[in-house]
Amino acid sequence: MTGGLHDVEAPAGAQAQAIAQLWHVLLPVCTIVFVAVLVAVFVALRRAPRATRETAPDVSSLSQPEPALARAVWAGVIVCAVLLLGLLAASVFTDRALARLPLEDALHIRLTGYQWWWEAQYDDPAPSRIFTTANELHVPVGRPVIVTLVGADVIHSFWVPSLHGKKDLIPGRPQTISFRADRPGVYRGTCAEYCGYQHAHMVLYVIADTPNDFAYWAARQRAPAAKPASALAQQGAELFLQKSCAMCHAIDGTGAQGRNAPNLTHVASRMTIGAGTLANSVTNRAAWILDPQQFKPGANMPSQNMAPDELAAINAYLGTLQ
Amino acid sequence: MNVRAACCVVAAIVSLAACQREKRDFEAPTKAVTPPPVRLSEIQPGAISTKTSLEGKYEDNAFALSEGKRLFGWYNCTGCHAHGGGDKGPALMDRVWIYGSEPAQIYATIVEGRPNGMPSFGGHIPDNEVWELVAYVRSLSGLASGMASPNRSDTMHVKAPESNVEAQQPVTAAPSGASERP
């Protein structure tokens, strides 16, 4: 859908940088070991004595030990031990580098994984400043982020390769992951633990903004939904409450207070709908509302029996929710 | 030999019954399923038609029943009926029915609402989901297929699973004052 950087080799944060460095050690070492083993096997095959049916079995090694063989085995054991210890040390130092991220003035986000979407709640000491969004995280560049990971139904896994490694969202066991984005950009993440039918359509975008852009975005997210300006949007707002939408979705500032599906207060400001399933365009939104099962079979949103004018009104209203 | 033959027959029956059990319809029916007439009286003119409804459309289907169980929580049925034991609303896991136990009657209860507090959900819940809820509500007192009823909860277990409920012969109770109900 909407692109976004999704690449371990293109780190955008200090931690992803450390992980990429570890990868650049692991890959050559393991390649060398693999090639060496292959060469040894082929040499052994080539040098094997070609015996015929009549040749007596070669049992000479029983009576006289083979010093060369013992030397080779010892050399192999020592080389393996040194390499493994080296990789272990590299891994330990990478782990320490990951944990060393300074966390002063961190942004706190509570990220809940559902089948199959993400809910993000931006925490704040003042309750009135807490806001909820879905499937998209905005973070300020250069400021650390502490994400509390919560699994709502089954185990999911948070993985934004350009920013950090993976961490699971385990139901009943909240845990945290912290990262920092050092360059502005759009970083794509996915659920990295198979979580059911639509696991592949559970995408999370992390958008790293400059601090000013982030403050602007957060201020807009805190505001309740815009009042519909046109007559069509007004009709859509009423239909949203009259039809089944409000049974699951919330739009802050209106009577829609469902808590089972993504909060739609600022849905038009997001890049995608259906957790990265479709780009957020007028036509895609209409097609999605009418029949989400066509794009994401098994998702909890039911197909709607809706007259075309009703659909147009609701879609127009959602389009105003910037 | 007889035992083996009996086993084969049982296996064949079970496998036939299982066909409906696992069927999943992700595509909702394109047009609304018209509910059959709701009969609150047993007296009818002419021939007595007892078959009231779409019984069996969802009641043998494990997916529909488990969806009904999920929606029972999502649409806040639990807010008044608790997990079947009843609270502000009447209990649903007992054999007493005030407005009828037939699927069409439960459908009408959900869609049209009832006096003394049952809200009307017509238009707010897609038609096929109402039928899933109907099947699940019936499974609470063992009226749906025991083979297909949910046998576990996604959340903390608060009662025996629906698949373990003995089928209870429905009896109709006159609506009493809301305050007298448990």
Side-chain angles (χ1 to χ4, degrees), chain B:
Chain B
M1 198 56 205
N2 270 342
V3 175
R4 186 177 296 175
C7 285
C8 288
V9 171
V10 169
I13 292 170
V14 167
S15 61
L16 277 180
C19 295
Q20 178 67 13
R21 186 183 184 279
E22 290 301 330
K23 191 169 180 299
R24 296 186 179 205
D25 275 332
F26 289 137
E27 298 291 329
T30 44
K31 62 175 194 298
V33 185
T34 322
V38 178
R39 297 185 202 282
L40 288 175
S41 167
E42 290 175 6
I43 308 165
Q44 288 175 44
I48 294 200
S49 146
T50 48
K51 189 72 184 162
T52 43
S53 68
L54 314 162
E55 253 171 301
K57 167 106 174 92
Y58 284 138
E59 292 187 8
D60 296 329
N61 185 277
F63 180 65
L65 279 161
S66 72
E67 286 289 279
K69 180 166 183 161
R70 173 175 68 79
L71 296 171
F72 194 80
W74 274 31
Y75 293 157
N76 203 22
C77 311
T78 44
C80 295
H81 297 285
H83 291 275
D87 183 13
K88 290 191 286 296
L92 300 176
M93 63 203 291
D94 60 4
R95 63 199 184 111
V96 179
W97 295 85
I98 299 169
Y99 297 107
S101 64
E102 288 300 317
Q105 294 167 329
I106 302 175
Y107 180 96
T109 300
I110 296 174
V111 167
E112 291 162 15
R114 296 293 187 191
N116 296 333
M118 175 74 190
S120 148
F121 288 92
H124 290 286
I125 304 182
D127 205 56
N128 60 316
E129 291 191 347
V130 178
W131 285 112
E132 287 171 348
L133 280 164
V134 167
Y136 175 66
V137 166
R138 279 171 60 82
S139 79
L140 283 168
S141 54
L143 297 180
S145 158
M147 281 215 328
S149 296
N151 52 20
R152 59 175 289 278
S153 296
D154 284 339
T155 51
M156 188 190 284
H157 292 244
V158 292
K159 63 183 172 73
E162 290 78 7
S163 57
N164 281 11
V165 177
E166 297 267 322
Q168 302 182 53
Q169 188 59 39
V171 294
T172 305
S176 55
S179 58
E180 290 168 35
R181 253 183 258 129

Side-chain angles (χ1 to χ4, degrees), chain A residues 17 125 218 313:
Chain A
Q17 183 82 44

Side-chain angles (χ1 to χ4, degrees), chain A residues 170-184:
Chain A
I170 299 173
R173 212 188 153 121
Q175 48 187 349
T176 59
I177 188 170
S178 44
F179 63 84
R180 190 184 68 207
D182 289 336
R183 292 191 273 120

Side-chain angles (χ1 to χ4, degrees), chain A residues 242 244 247 260 293 300 305, chain B residues 26 30 70 74 124 129:
Chain A
Q242 285 161 12
S244 53
M247 294 294 286
N260 297 313
Q293 304 295 325
N300 283 325
N305 265 312
Chain B
F26 289 137
T30 44
R70 173 175 68 79
W74 274 31
H124 290 286
E129 291 191 347

